[in-house]
Amino acid sequence: MSDSTFFVSKAALRNLKHSAQHRVSGVPSAHLSEALASALGFRTYAALRAALDGRVTVEVPKPSNARMVRRLQELGYNAMPDLRLVPEFEHSYSPFRNFPLSKKRSVRWMGWRNLMVAAINAGLEQRLFGLEPSDNWWPGGNPHSQLCKRHVYRVEIEDGHTAVASVNAISGDELSINVVLDPRHEGIEPDRFNGLRDGDAHAHAWVERRLGAWVQDGGEDFSCKRAVQPWLAQLKIDTKGYSDQGSFFM
């Protein structure tokens, strides 16, 4: 997928609309839904809902406030100022500064990306978790993030390689996922990684689910043996209903 798209679920649509409702007054719910659909590149809200029918997520353009405001003006809200009703996810967010998403696709970034995508895909295939908020189905999981307990699971990677991953839910309906490639023994706990003596590589990331479905930007959280990194980086692993890069929230 390109940097200009991301994936939304029905829950993400509700949360994006709720966010917009706090930033504008006097717009009925139905009109706000139509404007949100336009912000996401659809002619109507019905078309957006139809695209999601039978699917957990759908790939759409990142939200555009310009399209959203233009649609509201078409619906008769001519005095509507140039508002920022929805986040456009063009950068990451922290209390200290906002910084643009990395455009770099280095060997290191691709190694981190591929190890994370393999672990997330395996968790989805094993129905341990889903891409909507509260889809925490693993043993010890709970719809309420604060009640979840960490779970460890196995990941199969091509060429006979395996990995062990752990998943837990944190605030904001995000998932925290750690993964260790080719662990040295059965007792390795991925979120307590003790260095490359535990395995050939380790990666960690947070998966956003409240406002969309993506792996939060943060490829620096990665360590890998030098001889393994080129092999890991060249793997072709497609995501399954989520983006491999998106805004980081702190």
Side-chain angles (χ1 to χ4, degrees):
M1 73 286 305
S2 73
D3 295 325
S4 63
T5 63
F6 80 129
F7 289 79
V8 290
S9 63
K10 292 178 181 177
L13 292 180
R14 290 193 297 269
N15 290 327
L16 288 168
K17 181 178 174 180
H18 183 70
S19 175
Q21 285 173 323
H22 284 284
R23 291 172 169 82
V24 68
S25 60
V27 179
S29 175
H31 284 179
L32 202 56
S33 293
E34 291 296 326
L36 178 59
S38 183
L40 296 174
F42 288 81
R43 290 178 61 87
T44 65
Y45 187 64
L48 174 54
R49 295 285 295 186
L52 266 168
D53 188 35
R55 304 175 64 181
V56 176
T57 62
V58 63
E59 188 174 8
V60 298
K62 289 182 178 179
S64 164
N65 281 288
R67 288 195 300 265
M68 192 166 189
V69 169
R70 185 162 57 246
R71 181 61 177 135
L72 286 171
Q73 291 172 339
E74 291 172 356
L75 291 169
Y77 303 94
N78 295 320
M80 187 67 61
D82 186 17
L83 295 174
R84 288 188 64 85
L85 299 176
V86 288
E88 296 188 341
F89 305 122
E90 73 280 7
H91 56 257
S92 289
Y93 305 82
S94 82
F96 312 105
R97 68 185 182 94
N98 295 337
F99 46 95
L101 296 180
S102 173
K103 304 295 184 183
K104 190 176 181 180
R105 295 293 187 269
S106 65
V107 171
R108 174 182 168 81
W109 189 91
M110 287 301 302
W112 168 81
R113 180 264 184 209
N114 286 340
L115 194 51
M116 289 309 313
V117 169
I120 296 165
N121 286 354
L124 293 170
E125 290 163 1
Q126 296 172 35
R127 290 195 58 77
L128 298 174
F129 50 80
L131 296 175
E132 289 200 286
S134 78
D135 282 355
N136 307 324
W137 305 318
W138 62 87
N142 190 286
H144 303 287
S145 297
Q146 68 273 19
L147 299 179
C148 287
K149 296 180 180 179
R150 176 179 59 94
H151 177 69
V152 176
Y153 61 100
R154 302 285 297 181
V155 180
E156 298 294 329
I157 303 178
E158 65 183 66
D159 297 334
H161 293 269
T162 62
V164 60
S166 66
V167 59
N168 206 350
I170 61 174
S171 61
D173 299 310
E174 297 171 14
L175 296 176
S176 175
I177 295 182
N178 286 271
V179 56
V180 174
L181 176 67
D182 291 329
R184 292 292 175 263
H185 58 80
E186 290 295 326
I188 296 295
E189 297 187 30
D191 56 337
R192 296 170 185 167
F193 186 65
N194 293 311
L196 292 176
R197 64 180 178 272
D198 278 355
D200 286 349
H202 169 263
H204 171 261
W206 289 274
V207 179
E208 171 67 24
R209 298 185 296 175
R210 180 174 289 180
L211 298 176
W214 66 79
V215 183
Q216 292 193 13
D217 194 41
E220 73 283 352
D221 198 352
F222 178 62
S223 55
C224 184
K225 289 187 176 179
R226 186 172 299 177
V228 173
Q229 189 166 272
W231 168 81
L232 187 57
Q234 60 80 39
L235 295 177
K236 305 299 182 185
I237 308 176
D238 293 330
T239 60
K240 296 183 181 296
Y242 60 94
S243 175
D244 59 8
Q245 185 190 40
S247 296
F248 173 79
F249 294 100
M250 179 180 291

